[in-house]
Amino acid sequence: MQSGFQSLACDIMEQMTIYQEGALEKLYRWAQNHCRNVDNPDIGPLVAKAMARLQDRPILFQYVIDEYCIYRRSILVGEFINALTRGGPSGNPAPIETRAHDIQIYVTDMLVWLNKAIPVEKQNLNLLILKEVNNKLVTV
């Protein structure tokens, strides 16, 4: 910049900013599409790293988190209704509603189902909100 090429340096910086914004937009779309993959609720290290990079853009980061929550909520509601009405595969365990005549057992069975589902969701959300510090992912 001291040698009189200020406009060239500014043009290069502007072009790099455009490339960086384009890369973040592609990363956002990729992470959003991965979070829509409701068949595979597991969050891998690549998604965690992508989400750590997106934390530099809070709006994009929040959109991906919202997308994940919307899709996981719909899956969990469907699984809970199936547990209530159909039970497990081949009817084992039996549907929770078969014990609806005994309120204590009925409520306990629902709480047991929730107790099994919540840790998986907590683990996945923790992976999504990891922050990258010195090329290492750490919990926020």
Side-chain angles (χ1 to χ4, degrees):
M1 300 257 303
Q2 293 177 350
S3 62
F5 296 107
Q6 292 91 355
S7 63
L8 180 61
C10 288
D11 289 344
I12 291 172
M13 288 175 51
E14 183 179 328
Q15 194 64 33
M16 291 305 293
T17 301
I18 291 170
Y19 287 141
Q20 183 180 19
E21 290 300 320
L24 283 170
E25 182 69 26
K26 287 180 182 181
L27 187 63
Y28 160 71
R29 296 279 178 221
W30 178 85
Q32 188 179 41
N33 286 334
H34 185 79
C35 287
R36 286 180 181 159
N37 183 5
V38 293
D39 297 332
N40 182 13
D42 296 329
I43 304 298
L46 194 57
V47 177
K49 192 169 184 173
M51 291 300 290
R53 296 284 184 197
L54 282 175
Q55 287 184 23
D56 294 337
R57 298 291 189 276
I59 293 173
L60 297 178
F61 178 76
Q62 187 62 45
Y63 285 158
V64 174
I65 294 292
D66 290 346
E67 193 80 27
Y68 175 80
C69 291
I70 288 168
Y71 279 93
R72 285 304 299 161
R73 182 182 318 138
S74 67
I75 293 300
L76 285 173
V77 167
E79 289 176 356
F80 185 69
I81 290 172
N82 284 340
L84 283 173
T85 58
R86 295 187 184 130
S90 305
N92 188 16
I96 295 173
E97 286 188 344
T98 59
R99 293 176 291 280
H101 60 280
D102 186 346
I103 300 296
Q104 186 176 3
I105 293 174
Y106 185 58
V107 171
T108 301
D109 287 349
M110 285 191 276
L111 291 174
V112 165
W113 188 91
L114 288 171
N115 194 38
K116 289 178 183 177
I118 289 173
V120 172
E121 298 306 315
K122 181 181 176 187
Q123 178 185 7
N124 285 341
L125 282 173
N126 281 336
L127 287 172
L128 287 177
I129 61 171
L130 289 175
K131 184 73 175 166
E132 191 170 39
V133 177
N134 296 332
N135 293 326
K136 292 183 181 181
L137 296 174
V138 295
T139 305
V140 178

